[in-house]
Amino acid sequence: MTEPQELVEKLLTELPGWLPAQRWFAGKDRPVGSVRPLRTTVLLEEPRLLHVVVEVEQADRVEAYQLLVTDRDESYEATGDGELTGHLLDLMAQGREIDGLSFEHEPDAELTDGLRGRPITSEQSNTSIIFGSQYILKLFRKLSYGPNPDLVLHRALRGVGCEHIAQPLGSITGELNGEQVTIGMLQQFLPDAVDGWAMATTSVRDLMADSEALHADQAGGDFAAEANRLGQAVATVHADLERALGQQDADDDDIAATVRAMGSRLDRVAEMVPALGPFVPALREAFDKALDGRSTIVVQNIHGDLHLGQVLRTVNGWLLIDFEGEPAAPAAERAALKSPLRDVAGMLRSFDYAAHQMLVGQDEDPLLTERALEWARRNRAAFCEGYADAAAEAVGDPRRHGELLRAFELDKAVYEVAYEYANRPEWLTVPLSSIARITGEGA
Amino acid sequence: MQEDSRPDAALGLEGVPHTGEAITADGLLVEPQAEDFQHAKQAPKNPDWFKGAVFYEVLVRAFTDSNGDGTGDLRGLASRLDYLEWLGIDCLWLPPFYASPLRDGGYDISDFRAVLPEFGNIEDFVYLLDEAHRRGIRVITDLVLNHTSDAHPWFQQSRMDPDGPYGDYYVWSDDDSRYADARIIFVDTETSNWTYDPVRGQFYWHRFFSHQPDLNFENNDVQEAMLDTLRFWLDLGIDGFRLDAVPYLFEEEGTNCENLPRTHDFLKRCRKVVDDEYPGRILLAEANQWPSDVVEYFGDPEVGGDECHMAFHFPLMPRIFMAVRRESRFPISEILAQTPEIPTGTQWGIFLRNHDELTLEMVTDEERDYMYTEYAKDPRMKANIGIRRRLAPLLENDRNQQELFTAMLLSLPGSPVLYYGDEIGMGDNIWLGDRDAVRTPMQWTPDRNAGFSSCDPGRIYLPVIMDPIHGYQALNVEAQLNNASSLLNWTRRMIEVRKQHHALAEGTFIDLGGSNPSVLAYKRRWTRPDGHEDIVLCVNNLSRFPQPVELDLSEHRGTTPVELTGGVHFPQVGELPYLLTLPGHGFYWFQLATVGDDGESR
């Protein structure tokens, strides 16, 4: 049994080597300079469970990360210990405050305590723990100062009775350097849920494997009805966010600023990825058109990083999860009001990805390519129709804002080009061929 | 009264006891009584027998012809009971074998107390019942409460003598405007629920065909007459009834005339007769409605149900087909999530196919279009609001899919109802009219008429299936009995396994979900009377491609799944999600070994 202080000190000596090996660590691109403890909270004496926040300095960047630490395991990592993580749930159920860390449940939520936790294995930037088959706790690994958009938007949506989210049930918050930070969010867990990517790629697989010359609308695994319902769910969430938190009309300056941001992203990426070069003029033209041919647009709180992996199919319909915005974007940008069309554009790009994912790394096959395009066209259209059916009047049918939607979609594709270039060069063809197609089709 | 206008004239029942063979001075029709016949011995007592029973729907006409007239009959069916006992069948469901003009497959009953002469007579039925009971097999039959044939002597009396004792037996009206909110069920053939009768000069109400007038249940004499009909067959020894078309018994202006409270009141009366006078016999409701409406037919949950003991779960069946074709478990998971709890003394009946078309009333328009595109590629495959095909051809004769479907039928909540011939993968003949496509003779042997009848092949009631894939020369019971890996032997084995695990009969159903949409996994959990738990885990791959699945079995940490058909022990359940891989359209049944009082697993 080690004293807390001793444990933290031992930990600190190992962290510079340990952190970069963690999947959730956001600073893998540069060496870890120094690691300083910011705060340590003893959550349990026996067995030992500590909540530790450390500040990691990497060249010009300083970030705070949270750790859940035990001496029961050589790795110090406590998130895999079902008994210890179960204690976090108990603290929220009891509404406890320990040394400035508040464990709360939502005002009208009653939590069952005494459940063991188990971590889910598929996560990227955070760590999530499931309790029984009822709850899921997301621990935000990299801590941001100020209100956490995920928690804020979930609470707002719950407040207006939105049915297309996993209901928020509790939270862990604290203070760091005099500012509020959100440590974790507890939500209803849906054991029957399947993510939209798995649903969509099941349908694509069915179409691709068909030996007869079937079209996407004839295949048994057709996804259009699901895409339509998904469109309705997204539109409903947008309308609920607007109802809960309001909206604004974007003025000319806002739109000009948005288009400028698209242009500068394009400049940066084109410099990095030569293959994008030939498309730069057409892209720039498309962005400019969004500026010219625009109708009034509204801006509001949106999901911010919507794609098929951020939606869940349950027996009661589609849900949206993870309202954190683009994980790499700075907090201020993430919290800014955006056009709902950005989310629509994100989903449209995702349909394109789902359609083409089986072709990546394969020899060119004109028949399969045609099927992929057909699947994408059919489901993108079905999504937009569903969206239009349930959309608030100010937004309406997303295809009404053709130029702007196209610009958002292209901007997203440019972002994808940068991402794929850096991480998965094989996949670069997916956004590049989409850019070629969208800009080639003209207005 | 002229000889040819007697109400029983059209029935062809001369020489056997029948309704209307004489008329009393008050104008009442003389009807046969149960005391006139011998009664069958009862099957062993077990009030809950239906909760775990495997049912087998068999058309008397289609099973075996004992007298060489080209039509199956009751004695023929009795001669096949050894086969049905071997297969593991607990209860036969016989669609109507009553006297009938046969304009609706016998559902147009012209005498509730006489057997259709070509099937035999009451004595033959009692013989069948007796032989079945000796083998531990029960028998239920269809009873159509809602309507009769227009040839029934009751209707003949009603139309000719509006003021006589039968004048008010049917729903008569001077015009055809009442109950306008009731839908027309047989949209292919009927344009109205009213038809004008020139004899009486009034319109009569009919929810089905115009030759099937609805009985008037507002008339207490009709209620009593139908209760006496139940008693007649129960006295002979029958084990219960499938009550046909129950939602439509009563009519009420301003409603859709379905599921009305007074309909439920009458069913409660029927149930009371069964409980008081014939305990252990059952009522099974045919109510093609949404599960939330169908549960009403079980009656009051406070007393464990006081209407029907069983009801068919109609919406489940098309969704099983939809789920497999879409390679997505959601169509099945959704409908089961929407299915309410049922009273303790009741059970669902579930099926893949039956003598009717694959019914698509209980799906949305969008889903119906989908089913037509997928499973009825030829317009002739469609009938009314459904698809007239057998299981094997619906599944393109794919053995793996037939096994997967049967495995789900035997493990989803409810008592399974097999349709005759599906155990050998029989085919259909879509060129036959109406719903006859799926009513062809049972294929017993490669001999003449498939061993069904010794008659001249030209005389047979419907041609045997002769196509190169499902033809009787290759596809028959005899050939499959001799082949250890046949579908028949496989089906028998699965029925046997099902019966060894009562969790599959009465266990609660727990959908396990999971991240792979193509895998449907569920637990059936049953607490035995000694307090031990019997938990069966079923995992079904709805996709034609191999699939992995990670299941959350954390509740069963430390237990060892044992595969049920071979007894193979799988790796112990640990802290992590349990990983299984399944071949295309594969499935597993596991017992999750129970932990005894001594803490021993296994």
Side-chain angles (χ1 to χ4, degrees):
Chain A
M1 182 81 190
T2 7
E3 284 307 302
Q5 213 39 51
E6 212 178 313
L7 182 56
V8 172
E9 262 154 42
K10 258 172 60 187
L11 180 69
L12 284 173
T13 59
E14 295 190 27
L15 278 178
W18 185 80
L19 280 172
Q22 304 311 306
R23 204 166 166 181
W24 44 261
F25 185 60
K28 294 191 197 91
D29 55 339
R30 50 193 93 177
V32 173
S34 66
V35 180
R36 285 186 301 277
L38 284 181
R39 60 172 298 154
T40 298
T41 317
V42 181
L43 299 179
L44 263 183
E45 290 289 351
E46 174 62 55
R48 180 83 74 206
L49 177 63
L50 304 183
H51 184 262
V52 180
V53 180
V54 294
E55 192 169 63
V56 181
E57 196 181 327
Q58 295 180 279
D60 58 333
R61 194 160 67 196
V62 180
E63 303 278 11
Y65 289 90
Q66 67 163 316
L67 307 168
L68 213 53
V69 177
T70 180
D71 55 2
R72 285 225 286 204
D73 192 281
E74 280 174 15
S75 72
Y76 303 113
E77 177 60 62
T79 54
D81 188 319
E83 190 188 333
L84 294 176
T85 52
H87 187 62
L88 299 176
L89 175 66
D90 295 354
L91 291 172
M92 278 181 278
Q94 294 153 13
R96 290 274 296 280
E97 164 130 9
I98 302 179
D99 279 349
L101 282 192
S102 307
F103 295 83
E104 290 170 278
H105 53 81
E106 295 303 296
D108 49 348
E110 266 199 41
L111 302 180
T112 310
D113 56 6
L115 298 173
R116 286 176 68 87
R118 78 194 141 79
I120 62 168
T121 46
S122 54
E123 232 181 341
Q124 305 281 345
S125 47
N126 293 308
T127 297
S128 288
I129 296 160
I130 295 163
F131 301 99
S133 53
Q134 289 136 283
Y135 311 121
I136 180 163
L137 171 66
K138 178 164 28 169
L139 293 171
F140 300 98
R141 282 297 189 166
K142 193 171 88 177
L143 298 177
S144 321
Y145 295 96
N148 175 307
D150 207 8
L151 185 58
V152 171
L153 297 191
H154 268 102
R155 279 185 171 155
L157 286 167
R158 181 171 199 240
V160 295
C162 181
E163 288 175 351
H164 296 284
I165 54 165
Q167 300 300 327
L169 300 171
S171 62
I172 309 172
T173 50
E175 248 186 35
L176 212 53
N177 299 329
E179 276 201 77
Q180 194 209 333
V181 289
T182 301
I183 310 277
M185 173 168 70
L186 186 76
Q187 282 173 284
Q188 168 197 22
F189 176 64
L190 300 146
D192 68 312
V194 175
D195 73 60
W197 179 257
M199 293 288 291
T201 51
T202 297
S203 165
V204 173
R205 180 182 74 201
D206 177 68
L207 178 65
M208 294 291 180
D210 228 300
S211 52
E212 297 166 59
L214 279 183
H215 293 287
D217 58 339
Q218 299 162 332
D222 183 25
F223 191 69
E226 292 286 2
N228 186 288
R229 284 189 284 269
L230 179 55
Q232 293 179 32
V234 172
T236 307
V237 169
H238 282 160
D240 287 342
L241 280 171
E242 189 274 315
R243 212 145 49 90
L245 300 167
Q247 64 172 41
Q248 295 167 12
D249 285 332
D251 60 29
D252 288 355
D253 291 349
D254 295 332
I255 300 169
T258 300
V259 171
R260 264 201 310 280
M262 291 179 184
S264 32
R265 162 131 74 186
L266 177 59
D267 292 340
R268 281 197 309 277
V269 177
E271 199 172 302
M272 186 168 71
V273 188
L276 188 60
F279 304 108
V280 170
L283 282 165
R284 219 177 285 286
E285 195 186 325
F287 294 156
D288 289 342
K289 268 193 190 155
L291 199 54
D292 304 339
R294 124 195 73 83
S295 46
T296 347
I297 65 163
V298 294
V299 288
Q300 64 167 80
N301 286 97
I302 61 169
H303 181 282
D305 184 30
L306 196 61
H307 54 79
L308 283 164
Q310 303 277 41
V311 293
L312 299 178
R313 175 72 159 91
T314 73
V315 291
N316 298 316
W318 287 97
L319 308 184
L320 276 61
I321 56 170
D322 288 341
F323 287 74
E324 287 174 81
E326 256 181 62
E333 192 182 305
R334 277 194 270 164
L337 299 178
K338 302 227 171 105
S339 164
L341 293 175
R342 271 199 197 270
D343 281 347
V344 174
M347 283 306 288
L348 295 181
R349 290 299 310 134
S350 199
F351 279 117
D352 228 31
Y353 259 76
H356 289 93
Q357 45 92 27
M358 284 180 78
L359 308 181
V360 170
Q362 306 292 316
D363 291 338
E364 174 81 18
D365 179 330
L367 174 69
L368 293 187
T369 306
E370 181 47 41
R371 283 184 175 179
L373 287 172
E374 210 179 85
W375 188 94
R377 266 198 302 274
R378 176 168 171 76
N379 289 289
R380 285 159 56 102
F383 176 84
C384 288
E385 275 158 31
Y387 189 96
D389 285 346
E393 207 173 316
V395 188
D397 189 332
R399 291 164 297 188
R400 243 178 43 200
H401 313 273
E403 304 286 3
L404 189 59
L405 182 61
R406 220 154 68 91
F408 281 136
E409 211 190 325
L410 287 169
D411 179 49
K412 189 88 188 168
V414 169
Y415 163 82
E416 290 160 4
V417 166
Y419 177 86
E420 302 298 10
Y421 182 79
N423 297 292
R424 306 186 298 183
E426 283 204 312
W427 287 69
L428 198 51
T429 55
V430 177
L432 279 178
S433 59
S434 298
I435 290 172
R437 204 169 50 248
I438 301 171
T439 54
E441 277 164 4
Chain B
M1 191 178 277
Q2 280 178 334
E3 186 67 332
D4 60 357
S5 69
R6 272 186 41 179
D8 60 332
L11 305 182
L13 292 171
E14 277 70 38
V16 294
H18 63 271
T19 298
E21 55 189 343
I23 301 182
T24 67
D26 328 335
L28 290 172
L29 297 163
V30 172
E31 305 198 337
Q33 301 301 311
E35 299 80 68
D36 306 342
F37 306 97
Q38 293 222 303
H39 298 179
K41 268 184 68 173
Q42 278 304 297
K45 272 206 168 63
N46 172 11
D48 286 336
W49 65 269
F50 61 92
K51 290 188 186 169
V54 175
F55 289 74
Y56 187 88
E57 182 192 2
V58 52
L59 308 180
V60 174
R61 177 182 301 282
F63 215 50
T64 292
D65 170 17
S66 73
N67 60 1
D69 67 356
T71 291
D73 45 47
L74 292 167
R75 292 268 168 180
L77 173 53
S79 74
R80 301 293 187 182
L81 285 168
D82 285 340
Y83 165 76
L84 296 168
E85 183 186 11
W86 170 85
L87 183 58
I89 301 304
D90 299 303
C91 183
L92 302 181
W93 156 27
L94 310 182
F97 50 80
Y98 312 97
S100 164
L102 300 180
R103 295 175 68 188
D104 180 24
Y107 285 87
D108 48 334
I109 297 169
S110 55
D111 188 343
F112 288 112
R113 298 180 186 227
V115 170
L116 185 71
E118 56 204 79
F119 290 171
N121 53 35
I122 298 278
E123 280 84 4
D124 295 329
F125 178 73
V126 173
Y127 171 77
L128 168 70
L129 208 50
D130 217 34
E131 288 294 307
H133 286 172
R134 289 206 320 181
R135 291 166 176 80
I137 298 177
R138 288 176 160 84
V139 180
I140 64 170
T141 184
D142 273 78
L143 187 67
V144 185
L145 296 174
N146 183 65
H147 51 257
T148 69
S149 161
D150 59 5
H152 196 291
W154 293 349
F155 186 70
Q156 293 305 320
Q157 292 294 87
S158 191
R159 69 198 300 201
M160 289 186 294
D161 185 4
D163 300 320
Y166 300 92
D168 198 23
Y169 258 47
Y170 295 84
V171 183
W172 295 101
S173 177
D174 291 332
D175 60 49
D176 60 356
S177 63
R178 292 160 67 199
Y179 315 132
D181 297 332
R183 69 192 167 113
I184 294 163
I185 293 166
F186 286 156
V187 289
D188 285 4
T189 48
E190 302 299 324
T191 53
S192 166
N193 286 325
W194 290 103
T195 292
Y196 183 72
D197 177 46
V199 176
R200 178 154 160 161
Q202 277 186 304
F203 291 89
Y204 60 89
W205 175 251
H206 56 87
R207 287 312 301 275
F208 296 88
F209 293 113
S210 59
H211 56 75
Q212 287 169 334
D214 275 30
L215 285 162
N216 176 20
F217 275 85
E218 313 236 338
N219 178 352
N220 193 52
D221 290 349
V222 168
Q223 296 197 18
E224 290 296 339
M226 292 315 287
L227 290 173
D228 282 342
T229 303
L230 293 176
R231 289 192 183 98
F232 176 83
W233 293 99
L234 291 166
D235 281 334
L236 295 180
I238 205 160
D239 297 286
F241 299 97
R242 170 188 175 273
L243 300 178
D244 188 70
V246 290
Y248 314 103
L249 302 186
F250 283 83
E251 294 77 36
E252 210 167 284
E253 206 56 69
T255 72
N256 65 359
C257 299
E258 296 180 20
N259 311 318
L260 297 180
R262 283 187 297 169
T263 293
H264 288 288
D265 292 342
F266 179 69
L267 290 171
K268 287 190 168 69
R269 279 192 77 186
C270 293
R271 173 62 179 264
K272 194 156 165 23
V273 167
V274 171
D275 282 353
D276 291 353
E277 302 169 36
Y278 310 94
R281 324 286 185 91
I282 64 159
L283 300 175
L284 193 176
E286 188 229 18
N288 195 348
Q289 308 278 328
W290 289 103
S292 51
D293 291 326
V294 175
V295 288
E296 300 291 318
Y297 287 94
F298 291 123
D300 184 1
E302 293 292 311
V303 294
D306 58 0
E307 288 184 32
C308 293
H309 301 78
M310 292 184 70
F312 281 124
H313 197 307
F314 277 93
L316 175 62
M317 178 265 304
R319 278 175 180 75
I320 295 177
F321 287 88
M322 212 179 295
V324 172
R325 193 58 199 90
R326 286 196 184 186
E327 308 199 353
S328 161
R329 65 180 148 83
F330 283 100
I332 298 175
S333 293
E334 280 175 348
I335 198 69
L336 289 173
Q338 289 164 22
T339 301
E341 291 262 322
I342 59 175
T344 50
T346 63
Q347 178 65 295
W348 289 111
I350 60 174
F351 57 95
L352 296 170
R353 295 296 310 109
N354 61 30
H355 65 278
D356 276 336
E357 66 271 7
L358 195 157
T359 328
L360 298 178
E361 283 169 87
M362 289 301 121
V363 298
T364 63
D365 290 349
E366 172 212 317
E367 289 170 336
R368 187 175 309 133
D369 292 346
Y370 177 82
M371 288 295 285
Y372 279 148
T373 332
E374 287 310 309
Y375 289 104
K377 299 193 161 96
D378 187 313
R380 290 196 69 96
M381 295 168 180
K382 295 177 195 169
N384 288 320
I385 305 177
I387 298 172
R388 50 178 142 214
R389 308 228 65 193
R390 266 188 180 271
L391 183 63
L394 271 170
L395 303 178
E396 296 179 319
N397 217 31
D398 175 12
R399 172 74 181 265
N400 290 338
Q401 283 191 66
Q402 288 177 69
E403 291 189 4
L404 173 67
F405 274 70
T406 305
M408 288 197 277
L409 175 70
L410 294 176
S411 63
L412 284 167
S415 290
V417 183
L418 306 176
Y419 184 54
Y420 87 92
D422 282 350
E423 74 272 26
I424 56 171
M426 249 172 74
D428 52 33
N429 182 348
I430 56 166
W431 303 103
L432 299 174
D434 192 30
R435 288 168 274 185
D436 284 340
V438 299
R439 298 173 179 187
T440 60
M442 179 70 178
Q443 295 168 197
W444 295 102
T445 70
D447 305 331
R448 178 167 53 138
N449 299 330
F452 160 78
S453 170
S454 59
C455 72
D456 180 329
R459 203 182 162 189
I460 202 162
Y461 76 96
L462 284 177
V464 291
I465 301 284
M466 284 179 289
D467 69 62
I469 296 170
H470 301 102
Y472 69 94
Q473 285 94 341
L475 200 154
N476 58 66
V477 170
E478 186 180 276
Q480 294 204 10
L481 279 174
N482 294 329
N483 175 357
S485 65
S486 65
L487 182 64
L488 177 61
N489 275 305
W490 180 89
T491 305
R492 175 178 182 251
R493 172 76 184 123
M494 295 307 285
I495 291 174
E496 191 181 13
V497 173
R498 180 190 143 94
K499 290 189 177 177
Q500 288 160 355
H501 295 275
H502 199 68
L504 290 170
E506 283 196 75
T508 37
F509 172 85
I510 303 146
D511 194 332
L512 288 176
S515 58
N516 187 333
S518 298
V519 177
L520 173 70
Y522 46 88
K523 286 191 288 193
R524 302 294 310 275
R525 182 193 285 258
W526 164 248
T527 308
R528 299 202 304 243
D530 64 6
H532 285 214
E533 285 216 308
D534 182 9
I535 301 172
V536 174
L537 167 68
C538 306
V539 189
N540 304 284
N541 178 7
L542 308 176
S543 164
R544 59 195 144 139
F545 307 110
Q547 297 287 335
V549 66
E550 286 189 344
L551 296 173
D552 174 11
L553 298 180
S554 50
E555 203 185 322
H556 306 283
R557 211 148 47 98
T559 61
T560 301
V562 180
E563 199 281 326
L564 289 188
T565 60
V568 174
H569 288 224
F570 271 55
Q572 220 178 43
V573 179
E575 182 99 35
L576 294 175
Y578 197 72
L579 173 71
L580 286 169
T581 56
L582 297 106
H585 290 140
F587 74 93
Y588 297 121
W589 287 359
F590 294 108
Q591 176 158 43
L592 292 177
T594 43
V595 180
D597 291 335
D598 52 1
E600 264 299 301
S601 67
R602 288 186 269 280

